[in-house]
């Protein structure tokens, strides 16, 4: 992927405008709307010229924007293949690899970290992956406004921010209202696959998932499953294994 200085000067506007503070809704324990909180400032660091260029040059194909109407997946992907949503894909390496290995599925990734979005697009272009689209926006609003009920084949949430301090647990994405919303968006038989390297968060995830009556745990021990081979091992996870960190996978399906 080559580009000159003039291209860079002319093409930075779109990618740079994605660098913003994201606010999301906070809910009470029983799922009632409370207020909006600053869930995260986009910890972008420096958006590299390579990542900017990937976003600016290929967003027209890979990028989707928040809208106040439902996505038409058949039109977006030009096929009827099942759609799997991943929230918080980081730099996108595992998401691109899963899309490459499974051309019979369509993948939709949501990430607010703009260098990750740029890196994911660049990687998809390099590997000629066509069954992938990405969104740089808050997942709660995308689920609320853009994704039809019963339209997803699955939800992937791998290594979300654990917000490990107890006073910040309310900021964890895995809450009852979130899982209920995901369940509503899943087709019958659809799955929710989560993974974390924080045992406390894994226990919290398990408790929340078990509370949603439409979901069934696929674990034979009714808790966690071994890491499935179809989930690519990330560099982050490989480093954790070397340091002796545990990883917990949860896999529930919609009844």
């Amino acid at each position: 992927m080559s580009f000159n200085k003039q291209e860079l000067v002319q093409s930075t506007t779109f990618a740079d405008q994605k660098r913003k503070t994201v606010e999301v809704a906070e809910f009470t324990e029983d799922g009632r709307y409370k207020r909006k909180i600053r869930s995260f400032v986009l910890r972008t660091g420096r958006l590299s010229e390579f990542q900017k260029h990937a976003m600016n040059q290929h967003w027209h194909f890979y990028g989707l924007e928040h809208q106040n109407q439902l996505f038409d997946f058949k039109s977006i992907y030009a096929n009827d293949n099942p759609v799997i949503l991943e929230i918080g894909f980081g730099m996108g390496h595992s998401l691109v690899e899963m899309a490459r290995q499974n051309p019979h599925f369509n993948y939709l990734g949501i990430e607010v970290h703009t260098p990750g979005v740029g890196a994911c697009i660049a990687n998809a272009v390099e590997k000629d992956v066509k069954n992938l689209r990405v969104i740089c926006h808050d997942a709660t609003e995308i689920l609320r406004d853009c994704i039809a009920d019963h339209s997803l084949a699955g939800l992937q949430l791998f290594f979300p921010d654990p917000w490990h301090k107890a006073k910040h647990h309310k900021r964890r994405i895995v809450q009852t209202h979130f899982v209920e919303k995901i369940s509503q968006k899943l087709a019958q038989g659809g799955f929710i696959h989560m993974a974390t390297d924080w045992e406390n968060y894994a226990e919290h995830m398990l408790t929340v998932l078990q509370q949603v009556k439409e979901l069934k745990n696929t674990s034979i021990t009714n808790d966690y499953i071994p890491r499935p081979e179809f989930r690519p091992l990330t560099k982050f996870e490989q480093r954790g294994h070397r340091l002796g960190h545990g990883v917990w996978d949860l896999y529930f399906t919609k009844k």
Side-chain angles (χ1 to χ4, degrees):
M1 185 182 299
S2 62
F3 47 94
N4 57 43
K5 291 183 179 179
Q6 184 177 4
E7 286 179 318
L8 290 177
V9 171
Q10 294 175 343
S11 66
T12 54
T13 303
F14 172 77
D16 287 338
Q17 75 182 6
K18 290 291 183 183
R19 297 159 60 83
K20 58 189 176 183
T21 297
V22 176
E23 293 184 344
V24 298
E26 179 185 347
F27 296 83
T28 59
E29 291 184 0
D30 61 357
R32 291 179 292 108
Y33 175 79
K34 186 176 181 182
R35 62 188 174 97
K36 278 205 167 188
I37 61 172
R38 178 173 294 182
S39 177
F40 34 74
V41 175
L42 296 191
R43 300 185 296 273
T44 60
R46 181 175 181 272
L47 185 63
S48 74
E49 302 298 352
F50 181 75
Q51 293 159 351
K52 286 181 184 180
H53 185 71
M55 289 184 68
N56 287 310
Q57 295 299 112
H58 300 284
W59 187 262
H60 68 281
F61 179 83
Y62 287 100
L64 296 177
E65 298 287 354
H66 171 267
Q67 59 186 40
N68 291 317
Q69 61 183 22
L70 300 176
F71 289 141
D72 180 351
F73 288 139
K74 182 177 181 179
S75 175
I76 289 169
Y77 294 99
N79 61 54
D80 285 321
N81 292 342
V83 177
I84 296 174
L85 171 66
E86 180 166 330
I87 296 176
F89 56 75
M91 301 304 282
H93 299 300
S94 63
L95 177 59
V96 171
E97 184 60 22
M98 291 187 79
R100 187 188 69 81
Q101 293 181 8
N102 298 281
H104 52 292
F105 286 113
N106 295 321
Y107 288 83
L108 176 62
I110 301 177
E111 176 58 64
V112 295
H113 185 240
T114 47
V117 174
C120 182
I121 292 175
N123 191 15
V125 171
E126 180 183 358
K127 294 184 177 179
D128 196 30
V129 170
K130 303 294 189 184
N131 58 327
L132 171 65
R133 301 293 185 273
V134 297
I135 302 171
C136 189
H137 197 86
D138 172 51
T140 302
E141 293 186 352
I142 296 296
L143 287 167
R144 181 192 67 198
D145 301 332
C146 306
I147 297 181
D149 292 350
H150 318 299
S151 66
L152 297 176
L155 178 281
Q156 299 177 167
L157 184 69
F158 301 147
F159 306 101
D161 192 329
W163 292 103
H164 57 277
K165 292 183 179 180
K167 66 180 181 179
H168 291 153
H169 283 183
K170 63 176 181 268
R171 299 190 180 192
R172 289 174 167 176
I173 189 171
V174 181
Q175 305 291 349
T176 300
H177 69 274
F178 169 77
V179 175
E180 288 176 342
K181 176 62 68 174
I182 291 295
S183 177
Q184 184 180 346
K185 303 301 177 180
L186 290 178
Q188 186 175 8
F191 69 85
I192 295 178
H193 184 186
M194 299 182 182
T196 180
D197 62 338
W198 283 79
E199 186 172 12
N200 172 266
Y201 201 1
E203 293 169 349
H204 172 79
M205 289 175 171
L206 179 61
T207 298
V208 170
L209 287 163
Q210 288 175 330
Q211 290 174 348
V212 179
K213 62 179 185 292
E214 293 86 5
L215 300 177
K216 177 183 178 182
N217 195 346
T218 65
S219 166
I220 60 175
T221 54
N222 204 35
D223 46 20
Y224 312 106
I225 64 169
R227 185 187 73 84
E229 292 185 0
F230 59 78
R231 181 172 70 76
L233 195 64
T234 65
K235 291 182 179 179
F236 168 81
E237 192 175 355
Q238 289 173 339
R239 179 178 178 274
H241 283 319
R242 290 196 299 270
L243 296 173
H245 296 173
V247 172
W248 292 265
D249 278 76
L250 303 95
Y251 198 96
F252 280 64
T253 56
K254 185 174 180 178
K255 300 174 184 175

